[in-house]
Protein backbone atom coordinates (compact mmCIF):
# COMPACT_ATOMS: atom_id res chain seq x y z
CA UNK A 1 0.00 0.00 0.00
CA UNK A 2 1.54 3.28 -1.13
CA UNK A 3 0.09 5.19 1.86
CA UNK A 4 2.46 3.34 4.17
CA UNK A 5 5.47 2.85 1.92
CA UNK A 6 8.62 4.86 2.59
CA UNK A 7 9.56 4.81 -1.12
CA UNK A 8 7.54 7.05 -3.44
CA UNK A 9 5.08 5.21 -5.66
CA UNK A 10 3.30 6.01 -8.91
CA UNK A 11 -0.17 7.05 -7.79
CA UNK A 12 -3.11 6.44 -10.11
CA UNK A 13 -5.89 6.71 -7.51
CA UNK A 14 -7.00 9.31 -4.99
CA UNK A 15 -10.30 9.79 -3.12
CA UNK A 16 -11.50 6.48 -4.53
CA UNK A 17 -11.14 7.69 -8.13
CA UNK A 18 -8.55 6.56 -10.63
CA UNK A 19 -7.08 8.36 -13.62
CA UNK A 20 -8.91 6.00 -15.96
CA UNK A 21 -12.35 6.75 -14.45
CA UNK A 22 -14.99 8.28 -16.72
CA UNK A 23 -17.55 10.97 -15.91
CA UNK A 24 -20.21 8.32 -15.39
CA UNK A 25 -17.87 6.43 -13.01
CA UNK A 26 -17.36 9.62 -10.98
CA UNK A 27 -21.09 10.33 -10.85
CA UNK A 28 -21.79 6.75 -9.75
CA UNK A 29 -19.09 6.78 -7.05
CA UNK A 30 -19.44 10.37 -5.76
CA UNK A 31 -22.92 11.55 -6.75
CA UNK A 32 -23.83 14.85 -8.33
CA UNK A 33 -21.11 17.51 -8.12
CA UNK A 34 -21.82 20.64 -6.08
CA UNK A 35 -20.56 22.72 -9.00
CA UNK A 36 -19.55 22.17 -12.65
CA UNK A 37 -17.23 24.64 -14.38
CA UNK A 38 -16.09 24.75 -17.99
CA UNK A 39 -12.34 25.33 -18.35
CA UNK A 40 -9.89 25.66 -21.24
CA UNK A 41 -9.16 21.93 -21.27
CA UNK A 42 -12.59 20.61 -20.23
CA UNK A 43 -15.00 20.35 -17.33
CA UNK A 44 -14.16 20.63 -13.63
CA UNK A 45 -16.50 19.09 -11.07
CA UNK A 46 -16.38 20.20 -7.44
CA UNK A 47 -17.54 18.17 -4.44
CA UNK A 48 -17.64 19.04 -0.75
CA UNK A 49 -15.17 16.99 1.24
CA UNK A 50 -17.13 16.62 4.46
CA UNK A 51 -14.01 17.63 6.41
CA UNK A 52 -13.90 21.35 7.19
CA UNK A 53 -14.19 23.78 4.29
CA UNK A 54 -12.14 21.76 1.82
CA UNK A 55 -13.33 20.60 -1.57
CA UNK A 56 -12.40 17.87 -4.02
CA UNK A 57 -12.10 18.90 -7.65
CA UNK A 58 -12.07 16.48 -10.57
CA UNK A 59 -10.86 17.84 -13.92
CA UNK A 60 -11.73 16.05 -17.14
CA UNK A 61 -10.22 16.08 -20.60
CA UNK A 62 -12.85 14.70 -22.95
CA UNK A 63 -14.59 12.02 -20.85
CA UNK A 64 -11.56 10.92 -18.80
CA UNK A 65 -10.14 12.19 -15.53
CA UNK A 66 -7.08 14.40 -16.03
CA UNK A 67 -6.66 15.23 -12.32
CA UNK A 68 -8.20 14.67 -8.91
CA UNK A 69 -7.28 17.25 -6.29
CA UNK A 70 -8.16 18.30 -2.81
CA UNK A 71 -8.13 22.01 -2.03
CA UNK A 72 -7.87 22.98 1.63
CA UNK A 73 -5.60 22.65 4.63
CA UNK A 74 -7.78 20.52 6.91
CA UNK A 75 -8.22 16.76 6.94
CA UNK A 76 -4.76 15.66 8.00
CA UNK A 77 -3.87 12.00 7.63
CA UNK A 78 -7.22 10.94 6.17
CA UNK A 79 -6.62 13.10 3.10
CA UNK A 80 -2.87 12.59 2.79
CA UNK A 81 -1.05 11.26 -0.25
CA UNK A 82 1.94 9.05 0.48
CA UNK A 83 2.35 10.59 3.92
CA UNK A 84 2.19 14.21 2.71
CA UNK A 85 -0.47 15.95 4.79
CA UNK A 86 -2.65 18.94 3.88
CA UNK A 87 -2.05 21.82 6.26
CA UNK A 88 1.00 20.20 7.86
CA UNK A 89 3.60 19.11 5.31
CA UNK A 90 5.98 21.68 3.83
CA UNK A 91 8.20 21.85 0.74
CA UNK A 92 11.15 20.23 2.50
CA UNK A 93 9.00 17.18 3.37
CA UNK A 94 7.79 16.86 -0.24
CA UNK A 95 11.27 17.15 -1.79
CA UNK A 96 12.75 14.75 0.76
CA UNK A 97 10.09 12.17 -0.15
CA UNK A 98 9.85 12.67 -3.92
CA UNK A 99 13.09 14.34 -5.06
CA UNK A 100 13.21 17.09 -7.66
CA UNK A 101 9.93 18.13 -9.29
CA UNK A 102 9.47 17.89 -13.05
CA UNK A 103 7.79 21.32 -13.14
CA UNK A 104 7.18 24.23 -10.77
CA UNK A 105 4.53 26.93 -11.16
CA UNK A 106 4.99 30.05 -9.00
CA UNK A 107 2.38 32.78 -8.52
CA UNK A 108 3.22 36.28 -9.67
CA UNK A 109 3.40 37.53 -6.07
CA UNK A 110 5.50 34.45 -5.14
CA UNK A 111 3.16 33.54 -2.25
CA UNK A 112 1.98 30.23 -3.77
CA UNK A 113 3.52 27.48 -5.85
CA UNK A 114 2.65 24.12 -7.36
CA UNK A 115 5.19 21.32 -7.63
CA UNK A 116 4.51 18.63 -10.26
CA UNK A 117 6.06 15.16 -10.17
CA UNK A 118 5.36 13.49 -13.54
CA UNK A 119 7.17 10.33 -12.46
CA UNK A 120 4.61 9.70 -9.69
CA UNK A 121 1.50 11.43 -11.17
CA UNK A 122 1.50 13.73 -8.11
CA UNK A 123 1.29 17.46 -7.53
CA UNK A 124 1.27 19.65 -4.44
CA UNK A 125 0.30 23.28 -4.02
CA UNK A 126 1.76 25.31 -1.18
CA UNK A 127 0.92 28.66 0.37
CA UNK A 128 3.08 29.98 3.22
CA UNK A 129 5.09 26.74 2.87
CA UNK A 130 2.14 24.50 3.86
CA UNK A 131 0.37 22.07 1.54
CA UNK A 132 -3.07 23.42 0.66
CA UNK A 133 -3.63 21.54 -2.63
CA UNK A 134 -2.68 17.97 -3.36
CA UNK A 135 -3.67 15.46 -5.96
CA UNK A 136 -2.95 13.15 -8.83
CA UNK A 137 -2.78 13.96 -12.53
CA UNK A 138 -2.20 12.38 -15.89
CA UNK A 139 1.17 13.84 -17.02
CA UNK A 140 0.04 13.54 -20.66
CA UNK A 141 -2.35 16.45 -19.98
CA UNK A 142 0.54 18.70 -18.92
CA UNK A 143 1.70 20.05 -15.58
CA UNK A 144 -0.64 21.79 -13.14
CA UNK A 145 -0.21 25.55 -13.28
CA UNK A 146 -1.40 28.45 -11.16
CA UNK A 147 -3.76 30.86 -12.90
CA UNK A 148 -1.69 33.76 -11.53
CA UNK A 149 1.62 32.25 -12.64
CA UNK A 150 4.59 34.55 -13.12
CA UNK A 151 5.65 34.56 -16.76
Amino acid sequence: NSEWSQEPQVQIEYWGLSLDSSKSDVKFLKGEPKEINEGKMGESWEFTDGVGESIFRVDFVDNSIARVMRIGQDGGFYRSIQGILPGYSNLETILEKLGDPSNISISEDKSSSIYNFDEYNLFFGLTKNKVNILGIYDPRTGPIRLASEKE
Side-chain angles (χ1 to χ4, degrees):
N1 182 336
S2 64
E3 287 298 320
W4 299 99
S5 174
Q6 293 301 310
E7 292 299 313
Q9 307 286 317
V10 173
Q11 184 114 11
I12 58 166
E13 189 175 300
Y14 184 50
W15 195 48
L17 300 173
S18 65
L19 290 173
D20 61 0
S21 297
S22 67
K23 287 181 181 178
S24 57
D25 294 334
V26 174
K27 203 169 272 191
F28 177 75
L29 291 167
K30 301 298 175 183
E32 285 291 328
K34 179 182 83 159
E35 195 173 305
I36 298 176
N37 297 300
E38 192 65 45
K40 284 186 230 172
M41 293 179 65
E43 282 185 353
S44 291
W45 293 6
E46 291 187 1
F47 298 85
T48 53
D49 180 2
V51 177
E53 301 293 314
S54 298
I55 61 165
F56 275 99
R57 190 171 106 190
V58 181
D59 293 345
F60 297 92
V61 172
D62 298 322
N63 189 41
S64 298
I65 289 180
R67 40 190 97 73
V68 178
M69 70 183 80
R70 184 171 187 280
I71 304 168
Q73 290 197 342
D74 43 21
F77 176 78
Y78 297 104
R79 302 298 188 225
S80 67
I81 293 181
Q82 298 192 32
I84 296 168
L85 304 162
Y88 299 99
S89 296
N90 59 25
L91 180 58
E92 185 179 330
T93 306
I94 294 167
L95 298 178
E96 192 175 289
K97 172 88 178 184
L98 301 172
D100 292 333
S102 47
N103 182 277
I104 303 169
S105 174
I106 299 171
S107 65
E108 201 166 333
D109 68 3
K110 298 188 180 355
S111 66
S112 301
S113 53
I114 293 183
Y115 292 78
N116 295 272
F117 298 86
D118 288 355
E119 184 179 350
Y120 305 115
N121 301 342
L122 296 173
F123 68 94
F124 300 93
L126 295 98
T127 299
K128 296 181 183 171
N129 199 27
K130 294 287 182 225
V131 172
N132 66 331
I133 299 171
L134 68 168
I136 61 171
Y137 71 107
D138 182 343
R140 296 174 299 184
T141 62
I144 314 307
R145 298 205 167 294
L146 291 163
S148 63
E149 182 176 60
K150 184 178 182 312
E151 290 297 326

